[in-house]
Amino acid sequence: MAYSDKVVDHYNNPRNVGTLDKSAAEVGTGLVGAPECGDVMRLQIKVNPATQVIEEAKFKTFGCGSAIASSSLATEWIKGRTIDDALKIKNTEIVKELALPPVKIHCSVLAEDAIRAAIGDWRKKNNLDEPAAAEQVK
Amino acid sequence: MDEDNEQKIDAAGVKLPIYMDNQATTPLDPRVLEAMMPWLTTKFGNAASRNHSFGWEAERAVDAAREQVAHLIGATAKEIVFTSGATESDNLAIKGIAEMYRERGHHIVTQATEHKAVLDTCKRLERRGCRVTFLPVKADGIVDLDDVRRAIDDKTILVSIMAANNEIGVLQPIREIGQICHERGVLFHTDAVQAVGKVPFHVIDDFVDLASISAHKIYGPKGVGALYVRRRNPRVQLAAEIDGGGHERGMRSGTLNVPGIVGLGKACELAGENLLQEASRTQCLRDRLKAKLEAGLDYVQVNGSMEHRLSGNLNMSFLYVEGESLLMGIDDVAVSSGSACTSATLEPSYVLKALGLGDEVAHSSIRFGLGRFTTEAEVDYVAAKTIQVVRRLRELSPLYEMVKDGVDLSRMEWDKAGTRD
């Protein structure tokens, strides 16, 4: 499998690797995928409650190089965005940025799912259920 | 070495990239190439040309190679049929027997970890009306002899069980299986591709009726192999798969690949000369690699029996690290993985699954294949590099972090629908 330079760069120098305190109110955690499927992504966000801006994003991923790159890129992109803006990120943009081949598209889908899951977790914690709004962006 | 294969030299004097995938294929031994060269250049005759010296010398060369192959496995020259490789040998053996012995029965017994050349051949025969029993293997990868005994019935014509597995190197008890088949009057075929030239293999002592052999797994050229077909006690008959000029006593038509066959013969001769020394040397290196990996890393496990195993094989899972990402990290070492991401089908290794291992273990597996040209310095480099990359990837692995925090991953609810493309 030949990887794009960007995938190799994220694999060799992953951005924002780490763990946030998942019990903190301002932290949302998304854990998606399954070990038996060969991909598990954990993406965490720390949100400013006043501005709803994602001030911190961390990830850890078990998966192939493309999965690692997709989640690394996702943390880069959501950092500094508002929750609503972060939800606008589409897996197809990740595919394009990383030049993922068709067999690796599921990695980008998983990254998008991880963003949604983290935001969903943060909303739930803070009683900000806005499923309707979330659906609209989809 | 190939000039196109860009080589670097590391500080310890190891040439990079390192080839450690000798169950996939092996490099051509220079002595084999030397034996082949005349037959690729000046001696170009057709071994079937009966009326001039070009043909005669080619025929003599083929006959000599036939002796060399036969000698290595305890057969006679007339029992060797040259083919294009082991896939063809497996097809010829299984389909040829099914067709020839159709009147006597239509049941074939094989097992779950066979090479696809055997499994898919059997599946095709199933569609053509044969009944096939696919036996399971035990957790160590070995077939239960009682299962073999029970599977054979009065319609069974053939048992096909490999001598050594290509992924996990596990050796099947072929002598015992051969004996069972012999007693029950059922023919025994073994895909002996990985075993011949690596472990003692003798068609008489092991009660083998048909055996598939490949040249490129034993430092010979690609595109040539052989099928051993027993001529006495019992005399095995085969329906041909390829019709034509009646070469190879009608069992396999087609102009003989003289240089390839000469190469296969030479490769067999060399393998036989140093079989035990070579096996013990690769075993020392393999055990060194295993010891280093186990000392440097936690959560590693060997897949398949260590006791009954090819000396040059180590199949190991590095839990909580995905195989393809590991291969990407050790990119100056050629090994292979049972991870789905590295396969064309996107399915994790069916061999590891047959051992009862979870998909997540298969996803984390790496096959190290050591061979004749593997050096101690290479082993040390591969061990150090693997340890370094596994550690780095575990820093990135949410699973490793969770396990270290005491989470039982098997009791978690995973979102398996996450991949919705």
Side-chain angles (χ1 to χ4, degrees):
Chain A
M1 175 94 43
Y3 303 95
S4 69
D5 291 346
K6 281 181 179 161
V7 169
V8 173
D9 179 41
H10 277 282
Y11 172 84
N12 285 326
N13 311 291
R15 332 289 200 251
N16 308 309
V17 176
T19 308
L20 299 173
D21 176 10
K22 70 173 182 219
S23 62
E26 66 270 30
V27 170
T29 300
L31 183 67
V32 296
E36 52 267 54
C37 302
D39 297 295
V40 175
M41 285 182 192
R42 190 190 63 199
L43 192 144
Q44 295 185 298
I45 50 171
K46 189 176 160 199
V47 185
N48 183 319
T51 59
Q52 296 216 344
V53 167
I54 298 172
E55 293 182 328
E56 191 82 73
K58 294 281 181 196
F59 88 97
K60 282 200 177 188
T61 289
F62 161 83
C64 63
S66 303
I68 291 169
S70 296
S71 37
S72 170
L73 178 67
T75 59
E76 239 184 356
W77 277 359
I78 59 174
K79 239 171 126 171
R81 290 203 195 197
T82 64
I83 289 292
D84 288 344
D85 272 354
L87 283 169
K88 287 178 190 152
I89 294 171
K90 287 273 169 289
N91 82 292
T92 47
E93 298 167 62
I94 297 174
V95 171
K96 208 173 150 198
E97 173 70 12
L98 296 175
L100 298 180
V103 292
K104 296 296 183 187
I105 288 173
H106 73 272
C107 298
S108 69
V109 174
L110 211 56
E112 187 191 318
D113 286 350
I115 297 173
R116 288 174 188 283
I119 292 173
D121 181 57
W122 173 81
R123 277 188 167 144
K124 206 168 137 197
K125 267 187 186 170
N126 292 279
N127 300 314
L128 295 166
D129 265 338
E130 284 177 277
E135 280 312 305
Q136 275 168 20
V137 239
K138 259 187 177 175
Chain B
M1 274 286 174
D2 188 350
E3 285 166 21
D4 295 337
N5 204 349
E6 192 191 327
Q7 287 219 326
K8 296 170 284 183
I9 312 262
D10 104 311
V14 179
K15 278 187 190 164
L16 300 173
I18 292 168
Y19 187 74
M20 204 173 274
D21 201 10
N22 284 281
Q23 275 91 56
T25 193
T26 54
L28 193 68
D29 190 302
R31 295 166 290 180
V32 173
L33 178 62
E34 197 187 331
M36 291 171 68
M37 277 309 274
W39 308 98
L40 288 160
T41 50
T42 53
K43 302 183 177 195
F44 56 84
N46 186 329
S49 294
R50 291 281 152 81
N51 39 19
H52 50 65
S53 61
F54 293 86
W56 300 331
E57 66 180 3
E59 192 185 21
R60 275 198 302 274
V62 167
D63 286 345
R66 215 183 285 282
E67 290 285 353
Q68 288 167 312
V69 176
H71 181 73
L72 179 62
I73 63 170
T76 61
K78 282 184 175 172
E79 295 174 311
I80 304 301
V81 175
F82 290 116
T83 66
S84 64
T87 292
E88 188 192 331
S89 298
D90 287 339
N91 271 265
L92 174 57
I94 298 168
K95 289 176 183 163
I97 292 294
E99 190 179 336
M100 183 58 81
Y101 293 82
R102 198 164 31 188
E103 313 268 281
R104 232 177 70 191
H106 61 281
H107 180 228
I108 295 169
V109 177
T110 185
Q111 59 90 23
T113 67
E114 290 294 314
H115 193 273
K116 290 281 183 188
V118 168
L119 290 178
D120 286 358
T121 300
C122 287
K123 283 176 190 159
R124 185 175 296 279
L125 288 174
E126 230 174 4
R127 292 197 292 275
R128 290 182 189 166
C130 284
R131 186 159 53 85
V132 182
T133 302
F134 297 92
L135 296 175
V137 291
K138 296 178 281 183
D140 59 5
I142 296 172
V143 168
D144 188 330
L145 292 174
D146 284 331
D147 284 348
V148 177
R149 284 191 197 96
R150 273 193 294 269
I152 296 173
D153 62 33
D154 57 354
K155 290 290 177 205
T156 309
I157 48 172
L158 179 71
V159 172
S160 179
I161 291 181
M162 67 194 344
N165 184 271
N166 46 307
E167 285 188 36
I168 51 176
V170 166
L171 304 172
Q172 297 292 350
I174 54 162
R175 181 166 301 182
E176 289 78 3
I177 294 167
Q179 201 158 8
I180 292 167
C181 293
H182 190 73
E183 282 163 10
R184 302 284 290 271
V186 173
L187 295 176
F188 177 41
H189 165 248
T190 186
D191 178 334
V193 168
Q194 299 286 349
V196 162
K198 312 279 172 66
V199 292
F201 177 83
H202 193 281
V203 291
I204 305 296
D205 295 349
D206 294 335
F207 301 95
V208 171
D209 297 309
L210 301 116
S212 303
I213 298 169
S214 171
H216 77 99
K217 307 288 192 191
I218 51 171
Y219 313 96
K222 288 160 188 66
V224 62
L227 179 65
Y228 158 76
V229 184
R230 186 185 277 266
R231 298 244 304 171
R232 278 202 326 187
N233 192 24
R235 181 188 179 86
V236 177
Q237 290 182 291
L238 275 185
E241 290 298 303
I242 297 178
D243 294 307
H247 307 78
E248 298 298 274
R249 299 193 323 286
M251 282 189 264
R252 203 278 189 181
S253 286
T255 296
L256 293 180
N257 170 6
V258 178
I261 288 166
V262 168
L264 170 59
K266 186 67 184 177
C268 285
E269 182 196 301
L270 294 172
E273 273 173 7
N274 289 308
L275 194 143
L276 295 176
Q277 297 93 307
E278 199 168 305
S280 78
R281 194 189 78 90
T282 44
Q283 181 162 340
C284 284
L285 292 175
R286 190 268 315 270
D287 292 347
R288 181 185 179 92
L289 178 62
K290 176 173 174 280
K292 285 187 171 242
L293 292 171
E294 285 174 341
L297 295 166
D298 53 3
Y299 301 106
V300 296
Q301 68 178 60
V302 173
N303 301 313
S305 168
M306 266 317 283
E307 190 187 345
H308 304 282
R309 193 184 196 98
L310 287 175
S311 60
N313 176 280
L314 182 66
N315 187 309
M316 221 173 203
S317 286
F318 301 89
L319 301 182
Y320 320 122
V321 169
E322 195 278 326
E324 187 189 330
S325 66
L326 181 49
L327 293 190
M328 198 171 162
I330 51 173
D331 58 352
D332 48 10
V333 181
V335 290
S336 65
S337 169
S339 160
C341 297
T342 62
S343 77
T345 56
L346 290 177
E347 279 293 315
S349 157
Y350 67 91
V351 171
L352 297 181
K353 287 174 80 168
L355 269 51
L357 298 170
D359 282 5
E360 68 278 15
V361 178
H363 281 299
S364 302
S365 72
I366 298 288
R367 177 184 69 181
F368 301 92
L370 294 80
R372 181 177 291 168
F373 302 109
T374 304
T375 66
E376 192 172 283
E378 287 178 336
V379 164
D380 292 352
Y381 181 91
V382 170
K385 185 80 184 238
T386 305
I387 290 167
Q388 177 204 331
V389 175
V390 169
R391 284 185 183 156
R392 184 175 88 78
L393 290 172
R394 280 181 175 169
E395 288 296 307
L396 294 186
S397 170
L399 304 179
Y400 188 69
E401 183 188 301
M402 288 156 90
V403 167
K404 283 282 175 186
D405 288 346
V407 176
D408 181 353
L409 296 178
S410 65
R411 306 188 71 152
M412 296 245 333
E413 282 207 22
W414 295 103
D415 159 35
K416 288 180 206 168
T419 49
R420 53 177 161 87
D421 51 330

